[in-house]
Amino acid sequence: MLKLKIRMSKYYLNYLDELESEAIYVLREVWAQFENPVILFSGGKDSIVVTHLAKKAFYPAKIPFALMHVDTGHNFPETIKFRDDLIESLGVQLIVGSVQESIDQGRVAEEKGKSATRNALQITTLLDAIETNKVDCAIGGGRRDEEKARAKERFFSHRDDFGQWDPKNQRPELWNLFNGKQFEGEHFRAFPISNWTEMDIWNYINRENIEIPSLYFAHEREVVRRSGSWIPYSEFLQLEENEEVLTKKIRFRTLGDITITGGIESDADTVEKIAQEVSAMRQTERGNRSDDKRSETAMEDRKRQGYF
């Protein structure tokens, strides 16, 4: 585990304490209001921070939530190893929904072509896993600063009996009062770190010495330049005639499928350097995600169908 120290002002430490306290309050409200909540765990920094917050919220007891991961079959190997190591250390249940099984069962159809992705296929797999395991609240690591569709989210995000999200049909959250009442078949998504920014996440990771996957640190990797991003070369990537596999020193700001997650050229190999790099950036962390470039409303369209 990295043990790095970064100078922070007293004000910022207090600000992180406020964000932490708010998130812990939301997590405890989820446990109080729902029968079978889970943490949606992707292996990315945000879901790792949510899991860490859950440890603090219920210490010295174990985390009372199972972790649910939607396995697309196109994950970074480093992400799967990190997930399995974390589950073993926490001693909690892991629920895995398999996109490959959804394809094999005819529930979804594999996309074709060089830009094919399994990202949208996760929707059916996730909703099936929620229904099969009778989950009434799925806790996610979404933040409002990530993308305009996520800026519309409440802490408690209502989903109808088809698992769909309607931004016009959400509960008011006055004075931090959350309404988790639901009809049969409906469920909620909860977002305890809604008010955090990417900078907050990195400063908190540094302060708490939270272990994260090596993918976030700059390292040499074989990549292909596509749509303005460095896409990792893998067995799942279909190369065009004019595309060349190069070795570049890159890191990833956000983690998704290996086929859609674009890296950036970087020398940031410590949490402190990452925080400094992020502070100077003007593009959002999802700016290198090819699935978000399909249309201006790509994220909102997927959310309406039940994604995240």
Side-chain angles (χ1 to χ4, degrees), residues 141-259:
R143 307 188 326 267
R144 291 177 180 140
D145 75 316
E146 286 183 89
E147 205 271 345
K148 55 189 176 183
R150 289 187 174 173
K152 301 177 183 179
E153 283 285 15
R154 303 283 200 272
F155 281 105
F156 277 23
S157 180
H158 174 264
R159 304 300 169 104
D160 64 20
D161 53 353
F162 293 102
Q164 297 176 336
W165 172 71
D166 181 357
K168 297 180 181 179
N169 188 29
Q170 299 299 316
R171 315 286 172 76
E173 293 181 344
L174 305 176
W175 306 291
N176 286 338
L177 297 176
F178 305 130
N179 181 358
K181 293 182 180 179
Q182 58 194 287
F183 292 107
E184 183 70 27
E186 297 177 345
H187 73 276
F188 275 77
R189 310 287 170 88
F191 300 104
I193 60 171
S194 290
N195 287 332
W196 296 48
T197 66
E198 185 182 8
M199 274 296 298
D200 296 330
I201 291 292
W202 284 114
N203 283 321
Y204 188 74
I205 287 171
N206 184 78
R207 190 185 83 168
E208 300 288 305
N209 293 320
I210 300 173
E211 188 173 3
I212 56 174
S214 60
L215 295 163
Y216 283 111
F217 300 105
H219 59 286
E220 289 193 345
R221 194 180 194 102
E222 289 188 326
V223 290
V224 174
R225 191 66 175 173
R226 180 179 291 181
S227 301
S229 299
W230 291 109
I231 303 297
Y233 178 66
S234 70
E235 60 182 303
F236 309 113
L237 193 66
Q238 298 182 33
L239 293 179
E240 295 288 288
E241 289 185 5
N242 62 339
E243 289 182 329
E244 181 182 3
V245 179
L246 303 172
T247 299
K248 292 283 183 179
K249 191 173 185 180
I250 64 166
R251 74 173 193 86
F252 301 95
R253 292 178 69 190
T254 179
L255 301 185
D257 269 10
I258 197 169
T259 59

Side-chain angles (χ1 to χ4, degrees), residues 216-219 249-251 266-270 273-275 277:
Y216 283 111
F217 300 105
H219 59 286
K249 191 173 185 180
I250 64 166
R251 74 173 193 86
S266 172
D267 290 317
D269 55 3
T270 68
K273 289 179 181 179
I274 290 173
E277 185 178 79

